[in-house]
Amino acid sequence: MTKNFDAIIIGTGQAGPSLAGRLTDAGMTVVIIERHHVGGTCVNTGCKPTKTLVASAYAAHLARRADDYGVTLGGGAVGIDMKKAKARKDAVVNASRSGNETWLGSMKGCTLLRGHARFESARSVSVNGEMLTAERIFINVGGRASTPDLPGIKDIDYLTNSSILELEMLPKHLVVVGGSYIGLEFAQMYRRFGAEVTVVEKGPRLIGREDEDVSAAIKEFLEAEGIQIRLNAECIRFAPHGEDIAVGVECTSGAPEVVGSHVLLAMGRRPNTDDLGLDKAGVAVDSRGYITVDDQLRTSVEGIWALGDCNGKGAFTHTAYNDFEIVAANLLDNDPRRVSDRISTYGLFVDPPLGRAGLTEAEAKKSGRRVLVGKRLMTNVGRAVEKGETYGFMKVLVDADTKELLGAAILGSGGDEVVHGILDVMYAKAPYTVIQRAMHIHPTVSELIPTVLGELKPLE
Ligand SMILES: Cc1cc2nc3c(=O)[nH]c(=O)nc-3n(C[C@H](O)[C@H](O)[C@H](O)COP(=O)(O)OP(=O)(O)OC[C@H]3O[C@@H](n4cnc5c(N)ncnc54)[C@H](O)[C@@H]3O)c2cc1C
C-alpha cells in the first residue's frame, strides 16, 4: 500500500521535529520516521547524557577539593555510585525523549512512524514494507561513532559513546582511543568518577584542530587530575590480555603498550547514509558519505534536502537546528537564509570548558589579514581566582584594519557562556571597540573581555 504525504522527514534528530512543527503549522501533512529513539543522538547518546554525567563528575571533583574551600565532608573518601549517576542521567534523557514524543504527537497532521527508512526513488521511501510518497523529502539521519578497522579490533570488546552510557560499574582502567572533543569529555568524567584513565591519541597533540596553546592547556589540567596521555600513537592496535585489553600505542616515549580493563573508541563520526538507498533517489554524497548540499541545504535532487550532521556542514546540535531554521526560512518565510551566514562556534565540555567562536589563531594567520591578539590567563581573572578555578586563558583575535572580531577561544571557568558575548558582536558585524567600551558586571569572567580588547598586540 502507498501513502502520500506533503512531506517525508527521515530522522527525529535536532532538525526533523522542529521542521515537522513548521510544516504542519503551514497546513502540510508530514510523516516523520525514526528507527531508534526519538530525539536522535543529542538527546539519547550525545549532549544530554554526557553533560548530565559531566555534572556528576564535577560534583565528585568539587567534593574531593572540599578541603581547599574550607568545607568538611565528615570523613571518608569521595566515592561514586555509578548506578545512581546513571539513573540520574537516564531520568534527564527519558524526560527529554518523551517530551519530544509528546510534542510530535501534538502536531496536527504529523505521523510518527517507527522503522528504518530507505529511498525507493526520488519521491518515495519504504518503511517496514510500506511505501510512502511525497513531493518534499528531508533527510535528518545524523551519524554514529566511526569504528576504524584497526588491527585486533575484532578480537576485543570495546565501548562507543552509546554503549559507555549504559555502564553501571566503574571501569578499573579506561583507555580512551581518540584525544578529541568526545574522548576528552569521557576521559575527564571517568577519571573524576575514580577510574584510572589513559588517552591514546595518534596525533602529536590533543584536539589537533585547536590552537597549540589550547591543546597544551587542556593537556596540563587533564594530566594534573592524573589522566595519562599518550600522543603520537601512530600504530594503535588491540589484543586481549587475560581479562583486560592491551592497546598498542608505539608512542615516541613511554611503554609501547597500555593495558586497560575497558576501551572507549572515540575516533570520529560517520554519517548514517550507507543504508538509506540514496543511489535509488540519485542523491549525491562525497567521498566520506556526507550528502552534498548547497547553501540552502538542497541536495543534488530537487525536492530533497539534507539537514544536520549527515550533510557534513556541521557536527553539532546547534548546527543541525540552524539547518532547520535555514530550510524553514527559505521554504516557508521567503527569507533567504544561508549556511554561509553562520559563524563557527562550539564548546568542549571538559572542566574548565572551552568556548570557541570564529577563527582559530592558525586560521587567522592563514587568512593573510593583519591580526591583533589579546590574551589573559585565568590566574589573572578575579572571579576565576575566587572560585578556585584558574586553569586556562581567554584569547580574542581582531582584524587590525577593519576592527572586526575574528575569533575567540575562552578556555576557563564559564568559557562556554562567556564566548557568546563575542559571538553576538561578530554577528552584529560591529567593531571590537563596542565590547571594549561596554561596562560589564563585576566580578565575572566576562568583565575581563573589554580589558583583553584594550591590550591587543600584533599576532606574531
Ligand atoms: C558523545 C557526544 C556528545 C555530544 N555533545 C554535544 C554537545 O555538547 N553539543 C553539541 O552541539 N553537539 C554535541 N554532540 C553532537 C550532536 O549530538 C549532534 O551534532 C546532533 O545530535 C546532530 O543532530 P542530527 O539532527 O543531525 O542527527 P541525530 O541527532 O543523530 O538524529 C538522527 C536520527 O535519525 C535516525 N535515523 C538514521 N537513519 C535512519 C533511517 N534510515 N530511518 C529512520 N531513522 C533513521 C537516527 O536513529 C537518529 O535518531 C555530541 C555527540 C556525541 C556523540
Side-chain angles (χ1 to χ4, degrees), residues 10 27 82 380 456:
I10 308 175
M82 286 296 288
N380 294 329
L456 295 171

Side-chain angles (χ1 to χ4, degrees), residues 192-346:
R192 289 179 170 191
F193 287 163
E196 198 181 328
V197 174
T198 303
V199 175
V200 177
E201 164 57 45
K202 64 178 175 356
R205 58 190 172 92
L206 298 176
I207 37 168
R209 257 178 276 167
E210 301 300 331
D211 285 329
E212 286 182 26
D213 51 0
V214 171
S215 299
I218 291 178
K219 181 168 180 281
E220 185 195 343
F221 66 69
L222 293 180
E223 285 181 330
E225 289 189 31
I227 295 173
Q228 304 288 324
I229 296 176
R230 304 296 303 269
L231 302 173
N232 299 305
E234 277 168 10
C235 181
I236 297 168
R237 58 186 191 283
F238 306 95
H241 190 275
E243 300 251 293
D244 294 329
I245 300 160
V247 182
V249 291
E250 286 186 6
C251 303
T252 45
S253 62
E257 218 168 57
V258 175
V259 177
S261 58
H262 293 72
V263 167
L264 168 68
L265 282 192
M267 304 189 71
R269 310 275 299 163
R270 55 178 291 195
N272 289 325
T273 52
D274 46 336
D275 49 4
L276 200 53
L278 287 173
D279 49 329
K280 290 202 180 162
V283 172
V285 294
D286 70 12
S287 58
R288 294 187 305 148
Y290 288 99
I291 298 171
T292 314
V293 289
D294 67 9
D295 216 12
Q296 287 180 42
L297 302 167
R298 294 176 295 201
T299 69
S300 58
V301 176
E302 209 197 327
I304 305 181
W305 290 256
L307 301 86
D309 283 12
C310 68
N311 65 27
K313 297 270 182 194
F316 303 101
T317 285
H318 46 277
T319 47
Y321 187 79
N322 187 244
D323 284 1
F324 142 67
E325 294 180 314
I326 290 166
V327 169
N330 281 281
L331 271 182
L332 302 169
D333 304 333
N334 197 23
D335 177 359
R337 291 182 68 172
R338 298 281 184 275
V339 177
S340 51
D341 293 338
R342 69 189 180 204
I343 298 167
S344 163
T345 190
Y346 49 85

Side-chain angles (χ1 to χ4, degrees), residues 365-400:
K365 255 187 204 160
K366 235 173 140 186
S367 72
R369 302 175 189 236
R370 281 200 317 128
V371 180
L372 300 176
V373 61
K375 191 167 169 181
R376 172 170 284 250
L377 296 177
M378 285 291 162
T379 45
N380 294 329
V381 174
R383 187 62 190 277
V385 174
E386 290 146 17
K387 290 171 87 174
E389 297 183 345
T390 50
Y391 278 113
F393 57 84
M394 44 174 77
K395 179 167 73 174
V396 188
L397 302 160
V398 165
D399 185 309

